[in-house]
């Protein structure tokens, strides 16, 4: 934290005030939690959290049992073996373990393909390996974010270690045809490892790990409304990954230290809820998503980012409002109790807007005006109506302040 | 290789939020003596600065602004229009982006450029005023840091647009 | 998790049964939690957990405020600046960041000194660097675990990057004279970085970071009865450490991804409780520790591991019961509701017992019979009486089963 | 460089716990026909196996054990003394450590060596019985894996004691 920051956040919040209605649409950045998952975590603190699952006494065994049961539930939902799951503390660490841990374990291959719209924890981890002589190739995407299969086909070779493409893109909701990617890659060479960052796919897209023949897949608890502080990496039996953090092992071989069992119990509960309610959540969320998209595209000078329809994640709404700077709009909406985020450069340290929006060919001014929203199982029709009703005024005010106005200004 | 972005916290001061909610001196000024634009839409921030100048005393009767940019950008431009009112052009010229930041109760580091851009737009307007007049001694030949910043941003935007 | 494991843990627990009285002495491996810290965490889930502290909307700012307040409290207790604290997910990650992150940032120096009784997350992280040409020197300790200052003095040189010695040893409770270590090291060369793993020191030993002139210090929440899933690294202003995990930053520069704010809030609460109650907790704990040590040393053929008195951590009890295998004793005590751990090789993957006990010169058979117990603020005199009363029978039974008996068997 | 230890989970079967609580055939056997020791205290596990043998039928009338070691070690030795009772020496010889593990409801991988050590102590006792007798055909000349394991452990312990 830089010392130049304003510390009078209380004053800020007072000046901001509280809106009558609040609609939280920013679970891209920080998820809500299922009350059931929170309760499961708290209960487990009270029951079994004292034990260490690798110690031979009653409380150790109890905590081991909790851990094992939770893992089994997750493995069942994903259709994999519980031995294939390694816990980390978030999706970022899972992606790092997948990429850095695979590289650490690899003897010879030195080429990595990642899509140009991956999460930064994939891109930065891969780029870090360039220091050690790895070659990172960015796979281009089309205007809706779908990766160029031909490009992959032309670029995988005997030196290729890994191809990493997220099943669902976190910003524009593109659902990749991961099966086709796997077929292309494995058709060239069975030994090339395929990783998918499934942090945003879990619970939104059917995921059958056994059937897919994936090698590695990353997950994050807070992205499915579980507790913060847990993530997981699926590692198919036989795929070699080395640890990237060192220390005393507990029950896991690839991430040392005591597992955060209460958080894992909560995570498992969230996985279970997403799994059991898959159909009902997603049919509702899809409907609300489309209602919101349609309602907002009625506003002039708007562009949808990402595909429409069934190839779009059921929760993802990402729209660029031209002539409207996204961060200002974020604040304006906040004043109305609507919480969203933007791909504007203003939310970043440098002058570049979202690399995802750039990769699908959005001009900078389009990216600056982008607003990302995620529909959750917690949202109602009334929420969406309120949002649709509130946007036009907000857009109008922000546009009215600008020296560049629609139609030339 | 493009260095990709990372987030950092932006806890604004309440002053920024207040001015964002109720900006003072917002809008194009039809009877402006002079005006100037700084920044670019491609870079995500742009400020138009309008000045009504009393020719005799060379002081600013009123100022107004328009802004395309984040809440801090709007607040910076707005507070600057307040700060310059009644000042001579020389006094106005001497306002630094730090003064703007201080007046706002402190800008987060990544938002310094909002203060810089606001001051840049003001200085451009002042320069424009002296365009075909005798330049006063206090007006430097060379661009100040704030003006250079605006220029660099515009050049960067040029590059962005060529790219896409 | 290996597939060869017994999965009928329920059957095991049934066969085990429940003791009338339970005394948990294994917070070395997995801490208890202060109810206040649990409550603070849960409340924060309900209040501010939705927000991301780097996003410009009301909930983002609220979460930023929570984060900042919590950090400030921790910084005040440690006497450092809040900018000097980086959160990780546990002590293991903090130690890895300290050692690997320092090495990553270092341009030239290639020698690292660590004491031979450090936690494995220090030793393994340092040893990992040997791959990259770093030289790791283990500093020997005396029979009570105190590092050899002369050895340090003789071994630091122009190539030395780091000296790492834990302020309090986790197994035998030795409180090092870290001030003397710093003086020796900095006397040679101000630029050598001094790190202390303070996971077991926090709340047990007065720690004034500004006064001590330490460069790096690691902390772990669950070791001070805070929530699991948080740790922290103190990095003195000006000390260069690079990230070791890569991704999207939030408010921190050295560990990407969303901070686990609810857990940090709970951690901060635990720090506060340990800080406010320092005197009362520690005077009680010290008394109970000595009572337990005295009571257990009354048993024949016992050896205390680690120093006695004020140079021993107030919570640490570590005793070797000769002719008694420690893991069997752990299980026997568990049947009586007493939960402890052992430095026996039987708790490990290989045939080596605790490296700490070996380093202080304990023979293998002594280490195999070692039992580690930690007194906490949650323990009472009755607990300790119960433990003292229960041990003799347990020891007698385990000894009676052995072919090697005291006095030659 | 010593490879340092790391923990792993040891969820025992309820059978292990039961036998740990109430070991069958525990204790030195004063009228044993033969006995043998395997393992070492330095390595953390040691088993003494006592056999009472019916000389005529070459079958085991009863067996007992003593153990220095973990709960699994005690349980493994104990169940083996149950398994051999009434068996001929040849049948007893054929019991593998896997059989012991199975009888215990499955040993965790890191505890395989407990089963191995128990079988090693039994085979040593059987070998000792034939020490100065005519060796039956089923008794191999060379040490079996289980016996070698015991030997290796004892040698390792030697090294440990020399070290300290
Ligand atoms: C696709 C994707 N991958 C990885 C991550 C990182 O997950 P976490 O926040 O758990 O570190 C995110 C989180 O936003 C994500 O959306
Ligand atoms: C001295 C010491 N350092 C580091 C650690 C690791 O901390 P954590 O369990 O939070 O990873 C421990 C935990 O037992 C410890 O005692």
């Amino acid at each position: 934290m830089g010392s130049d920051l304003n510390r009078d956040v209380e004053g800020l919040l007072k000046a901001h005030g509280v809106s009558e209605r609040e609609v939280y649409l920013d679970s891209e950045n920080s998820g809500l939690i299922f009350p059931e998952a929170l309760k499961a975590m708290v209960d487990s603190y009270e029951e079994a959290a004292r034990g260490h699952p690798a110690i031979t006494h009653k409380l150790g065994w109890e905590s081991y049992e909790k851990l094992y049961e939770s893992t089994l539930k997750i493995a069942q939902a994903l259709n994999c073996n519980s031995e294939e799951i390694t816990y980390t503390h978030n999706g970022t660490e899972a992606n790092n373990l997948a990429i850095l841990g695979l590289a650490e374990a690899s003897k010879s291959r030195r080429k990595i393909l990642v899509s140009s719209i991956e999460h930064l924890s994939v891109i930065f981890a891969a780029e870090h390996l360039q220091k050690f002589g790895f070659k990172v190739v960015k796979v281009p995407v089309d205007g809706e974010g779908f990766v160029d299969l031909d490009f992959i086909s032309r670029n995988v070779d005997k030196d290729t270690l890994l191809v990493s493409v997220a099943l669902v893109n976190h910003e524009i909701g593109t659902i990749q045809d991961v099966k086709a990617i796997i077929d292309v890659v494995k058709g060239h060479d069975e030994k090339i490892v395929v990783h998918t960052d499934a942090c945003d796919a879990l619970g939104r897209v059917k995921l059958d790990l056994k059937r897919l023949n994936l090698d590695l897949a990353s997950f994050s608890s807070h992205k499915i409304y579980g507790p913060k502080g847990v993530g997981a990496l699926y590692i198919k039996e036989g795929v070699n990954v080395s640890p990237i953090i060192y220390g005393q092992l507990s029950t896991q071989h690839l991430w040392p230290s005591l597992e955060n069992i209460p958080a894992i119990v909560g995570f498992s509960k969230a996985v279970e809820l997403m799994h059991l309610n898959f159909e009902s959540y997603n049919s509702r969320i899809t409907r609300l998503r489309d209602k919101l998209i349609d309602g907002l595209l009625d506003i002039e000078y708007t562009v949808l980012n990402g595909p429409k329809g069934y190839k779009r994640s059921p929760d993802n709404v990402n729209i660029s409002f031209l002539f409207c700077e996204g961060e200002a709009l974020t604040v304006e909406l906040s004043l109305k109790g609507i919480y969203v985020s933007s791909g504007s450069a203003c939310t970043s340290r440098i002058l570049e807007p979202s690399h995802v929006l750039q990769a699908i060919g959005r001009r900078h001014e389009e990216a600056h005006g982008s607003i990302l929203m995620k529909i959750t199982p917690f949202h109602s029709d009334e929420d969406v109506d309120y949002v649709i009703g509130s946007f036009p005024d907000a857009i109008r005010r922000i546009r009215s302040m600008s020296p560049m106005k629609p139609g030339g200004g | 290789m493009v260095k990709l972005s990372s987030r950092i916290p932006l806890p604004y001061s309440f002053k920024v939020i207040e001015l964002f909610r109720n900006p003072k001196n917002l809008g194009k000024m039809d009877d402006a003596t002079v005006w100037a634009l700084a920044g670019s839409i491609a870079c995500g921030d742009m400020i138009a600065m309008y000045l009504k100048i009393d020719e005799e005393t060379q002081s600013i009767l009123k100022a107004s602004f328009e802004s395309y940019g984040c809440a801090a950008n709007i607040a910076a431009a707005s507070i600057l229009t307040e700060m310059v009112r009644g000042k001579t052009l020389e006094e106005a010229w001497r306002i630094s982006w730090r003064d703007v930041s201080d007046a706002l109760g402190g800008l987060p580091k990544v938002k310094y450029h909002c203060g810089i851009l606001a001051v840049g737009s003001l200085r451009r307007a002042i320069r424009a005023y002296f365009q075909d007049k005798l330049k006063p001694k206090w007006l430097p030949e060379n661009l100040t840091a704030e003006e250079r910043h605006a220029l660099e941003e515009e050049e960067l935007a040029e590059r962005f647009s060529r790219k896409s």
Side-chain angles (χ1 to χ4, degrees), chain A residues 28 90-92 95 119 121 170 197 199-200 220 222-223:
Chain A
E28 162 59 16
N90 48 43
T92 297
N95 284 336
H119 191 262
S121 52
H170 55 298
D197 174 352
C199 288
D200 277 47
S220 166
H222 79 93
K223 305 233 69 172

Side-chain angles (χ1 to χ4, degrees), chain B residues 69-83:
Chain B
C70 65
N73 202 56
I74 292 163
S78 179
I79 201 140
L80 186 56
T81 58
E82 285 284 287
M83 290 164 81

